[in-house]
Amino acid sequence: MCGIVGYLGEGNVYDILIKGLHRLEYRGYDSAGVALVGNDGKINIFKTKGKVSNLEAFCADKCLDSKVGIAHTRWATHGEPSDTNAHPHYSEDGNIAIVHNGTIENYKLLKDALLQHGCKFHSDTDTEVLAQLIEYIRVTNKCSLLSAVRQALKQVVGAYAIAVVEKDNPDTLIAARQSSPLVIGMGDGEFFLASDATPFVEYTKECVYLKDGEIAEIRRNEPLKITNLDNVEAEIDVTTLQMSISQLEKGGYPHFMLKEIFEQPDTLRDCIRGRVVERGARININGVNDHKEKFLNAKRIIIVACGTSWHAGLLGKYLLQDMCRIPVEVEYASEFRYSNPVINEDDVVIAISQSGETADTLAAIQIAKNAGAFVFGISNVVGSSIPRETYSGCYIHVGPEIGVASTKAFTGQVMVLTLLSLAIAQLRQTMTQEQIADVGKAVLKIPTYVKRVLELNAKIERMSLIFTYARNFLYLGRGYSYPVALEGALKLKEISYIHAEGYPAAEMKHGPIALIDREMPSVIIAPKDHLYEKIVSNVQQVKARGGNILAIVTEGDTEISKLADHVLEVPEMPECLTPIITSVPLQLLSYYIAINKGKDVDMPRNLAKSVTVE
Ligand code: G6P
């Protein structure tokens, strides 16, 4: 949520910043801006409402020479998206400029105090308050920028990642973090700063992830120095990135989302690699092997997550309960954190997050840790906060997901939850060796089967035309297909802005059935599983009311296929693996409906990929 880029070096500052902002646009895109410090003792700030491309157009005829700069793409929290509220913000005397990601909770208090000292404000943002506070301290205490930043941050309550530059000092860039990510790229005589490593991966693979409460002092031709708020020097821990530049490009696809849908055979293969061994007979999850007693003694599992990750978590409940016979609760992290949750020391809490940075999920982790539970993280972004804050975990290894609507990360999360369930079942002996091997062998086939499902692409593209002008959709499923229905509905809402509701198919008769008519399509996920006969009845109930049915069924299906208006067939799989197979056609369906409606599928309105505020 909000993307920060900074650069200090001999390269073209503006070009590097703009390219970086494009890479971070998935984090927010309602306004963007740059602050460039030149040799002439000036900071030039250019900012506009809208996407980074608007900023580029705005800057086309401006003087962009500079030695150091910071940039920002915003997802509004305080104040509407506008030119004035866009970052960078600056102190009233124009001496410093700042970009910020996060929320300063006590900004009103700080603002009132500054108003009393005669400061004037131009925007509605909490960030401007921080800019004015830093400069007020710098001037009043006659101290360095670094010292002023440190003193200001000691007064701040809330979350922040900030980058600050000073008018007369083109050789310095100051950055700090608390609960919002920031990473420093270490080039040859140059430094990069960003919310994640994607803006600088083509320049350097060496980077340092800033930790909470740390301030980085980046100076030209000097080694990086990191201190904490008490000015104690911290160790510099350099990480080598595994990411490649091709993972960040569209690779011939018109949108990242489509590319990411089509990558799934490969991403699932990467996710499974090394974890299903002995030809499917044994499951090997290091994060479980290293903490066997925690999983053996667990009396309950609590899953916390948000958005699509919550849907994966709901599938985790079905998987873990089925395979491991442990009671599982699935909580929205935002509700869990304020629900005065009862957590025991023999609970295992599983936090799921693609980005590894979601604020509510991080807060839920903290609560679980404080209560003494064992916390296990499932994340995609290596080095992000959630893997660092949890005791153990498992990466989904699907590569950077750029499209705001999650696709390959969802199937990766479901795959990891399946493997995790099998690994725990293996440990607790709640499944026989034979049962584990049956599922293990089928898991190895998943990438090939997903590839087959992707062959439905052209059919789904054609079919999407029929549904494009529907104003409401109902998505129905039972058992393992119920979370798939929720995720299918969310995907459609997110990118096409059509209202869609996911519902347990049998629950439909208690309310949503009243909505059914020819105008409202019902997407029914009905693979061959132990609830198949039950869902046939639900399909009949929709049919009897003149509903328009699109059914996702197993190849060779006859019963539902006869009732449905439109059918998509997927290969047969063991029941616990059907969600991965059935969610892929739903991703394609939303994609094409959104395209038909002319929507920006990679950057849907009002959404952001990484939600680092409450
Ligand atoms: C945002 C994204 C969703 C995502 C959710 C949780 O709302 O748009 O796609 O599912 O955050 O994010 P996480 O990174 O924790 O999975």
Side-chain angles (χ1 to χ4, degrees), residues 180-444:
S180 275
L182 213 47
V183 52
I184 300 162
M186 317 275 285
D188 189 8
E190 58 185 355
F191 293 96
F192 305 83
L193 184 71
S195 300
D196 68 35
T198 56
F200 57 75
V201 67
E202 69 251 59
Y203 307 106
T204 178
K205 294 270 193 279
E206 306 289 289
C207 68
V208 176
Y209 288 91
L210 221 52
K211 299 188 188 78
D212 276 349
E214 287 186 344
I215 306 182
E217 207 181 328
I218 299 167
R219 293 194 196 280
R220 198 177 304 277
N221 304 324
E222 282 184 33
L224 173 69
K225 195 170 163 195
I226 299 179
T227 49
N228 67 13
L229 291 185
D230 295 322
N231 202 9
V232 177
E233 202 161 334
E235 253 181 50
I236 295 189
D237 192 1
V238 179
T239 304
T240 305
L241 296 169
Q242 302 300 329
M243 203 186 291
S244 74
I245 189 74
S246 64
Q247 291 177 303
L248 306 174
E249 286 166 353
K250 287 187 195 148
Y253 287 92
H255 298 97
F256 280 110
M257 183 177 174
L258 193 62
K259 175 191 173 221
E260 287 159 6
I261 292 173
F262 272 87
E263 273 174 351
Q264 289 176 109
D266 293 332
T267 57
L268 286 163
R269 199 168 286 119
D270 291 343
C271 179
I272 295 164
R273 187 169 298 122
R275 291 170 171 166
V276 181
V277 291
E278 296 165 19
R279 297 209 185 118
R282 203 167 59 77
I283 309 301
N284 177 36
I285 304 276
N286 293 337
V288 174
N289 298 342
D290 298 345
H291 299 273
K292 283 188 181 140
E293 73 299 347
K294 296 286 178 196
F295 290 96
L296 271 171
N297 301 332
K299 298 268 183 312
R300 178 177 63 157
I301 291 177
I302 304 173
I303 298 178
V304 289
C306 304
T308 288
S309 299
W310 187 88
H311 293 154
L314 191 55
L315 277 164
K317 174 180 170 141
Y318 286 84
L319 290 160
L320 286 158
Q321 288 195 165
D322 250 8
M323 298 186 188
C324 316
R325 308 305 301 143
I326 310 177
V328 182
E329 290 168 21
V330 189
E331 303 273 353
Y332 289 109
S334 54
E335 286 299 313
F336 177 81
R337 63 185 291 193
Y338 295 116
S339 65
N340 195 11
V342 179
I343 307 166
N344 303 313
E345 286 186 2
D346 49 14
D347 286 336
V348 168
V349 173
I350 301 177
I352 310 172
S353 171
Q354 186 285 128
S355 63
E357 299 293 350
T358 302
D360 286 320
T361 311
L362 273 164
I365 290 171
Q366 208 48 55
I367 291 168
K369 278 168 76 177
N370 294 346
F374 178 72
V375 188
F376 186 92
I378 296 178
S379 183
N380 188 30
V381 181
V382 178
S384 59
S385 301
I386 288 176
R388 281 188 283 126
E389 286 298 318
T390 43
Y391 298 129
S392 172
C394 195
Y395 283 113
I396 60 173
H397 290 312
V398 302
E401 189 180 64
I402 314 284
V404 165
S406 186
T407 51
K408 63 175 181 173
F410 174 71
T411 50
Q413 289 166 340
V414 178
M415 180 49 84
V416 159
L417 285 159
T418 311
L419 300 179
L420 183 66
S421 308
L422 287 167
I424 300 173
Q426 190 172 262
L427 195 65
R428 293 170 68 117
Q429 299 184 350
T430 45
M431 283 170 81
T432 63
Q433 185 50 50
E434 215 173 26
Q435 287 170 323
I436 291 178
D438 280 350
V439 182
K441 280 190 194 116
V443 164
L444 293 173

